[in-house]
Amino acid sequence: MKKYLAGQPKLPKDLAELSKTGEFYLRAITAESAVTYFAEIPVKSANGKSYVRAFLGLTAQDIGPFIPKDIFVFVMKGNRILAVQSPAATEITEIPQCRNEWERFAKKSSDAMEVYRSSGFKNQKASDESVQYE
């Protein structure tokens, strides 16, 4: 893993930090879908001799809004790493406040894109803002 990470300048070299990046799970598990973090799941090592991290997230190839439905777990003990993804056992429903935030940013993105179109596709700042809001 360390040899692989040495050739990946955009990825953290520290394995605990790496476990917090969607990019790691994209490369290790999904290969094609982005992994989005939603919430930490508190876990700890049974014996205190390993590092373990879990979070609620999702995989998608598109821009949401999507409801997170997967549990991701990263375990590091000695020179071994285990990374898994599994469907959550409990159904997770949409949070209305999240939908409201999604709609607020979708409007900002749409407004910025309209400014870009109105400029004859010359206002690069408006185009960048549209992407950022999305």
Side-chain angles (χ1 to χ4, degrees):
M1 178 62 87
K2 290 180 182 178
K3 190 178 206 179
Y4 171 77
L5 290 174
Q8 303 296 318
K10 294 183 179 184
L11 292 177
K13 306 310 175 232
D14 177 73
L15 296 179
E17 285 301 311
L18 181 68
S19 75
K20 298 176 183 177
T21 67
E23 187 72 19
F24 168 76
Y25 299 93
L26 181 147
R27 293 170 188 232
I29 296 174
T30 69
E32 295 179 356
S33 300
V35 174
T36 303
Y37 165 94
F38 276 83
E40 195 76 19
I41 298 172
V43 293
K44 55 183 166 178
S45 169
N47 60 11
K49 295 181 180 180
S50 58
Y51 170 83
V52 66
R53 176 172 189 272
F55 67 92
L56 174 66
L58 68 84
T59 59
Q61 290 183 331
D62 215 346
I63 295 174
F66 301 114
I67 298 170
K69 61 181 188 291
D70 295 314
I71 305 295
F72 293 83
V73 180
F74 178 97
V75 179
M76 180 174 51
K77 183 176 180 183
N79 64 354
R80 294 181 169 237
I81 295 172
L82 173 68
V84 295
Q85 170 191 6
S86 179
T90 302
E91 180 182 357
I92 300 163
T93 59
E94 183 174 79
I95 300 168
Q97 294 89 339
C98 291
R99 172 62 68 172
N100 293 341
E101 281 298 291
W102 171 264
E103 290 172 358
R104 187 171 72 86
F105 278 94
K107 171 103 173 75
K108 286 182 171 191
S109 177
S110 177
D111 291 348
M113 184 52 70
E114 186 53 41
V115 168
Y116 180 57
R117 280 191 206 104
S118 296
S119 74
F121 302 102
K122 294 178 182 169
N123 185 338
Q124 189 59 46
K125 182 177 182 249
S127 175
D128 294 346
E129 285 177 355
S130 177
V131 171
Q132 181 183 7
Y133 289 134
E134 186 176 46

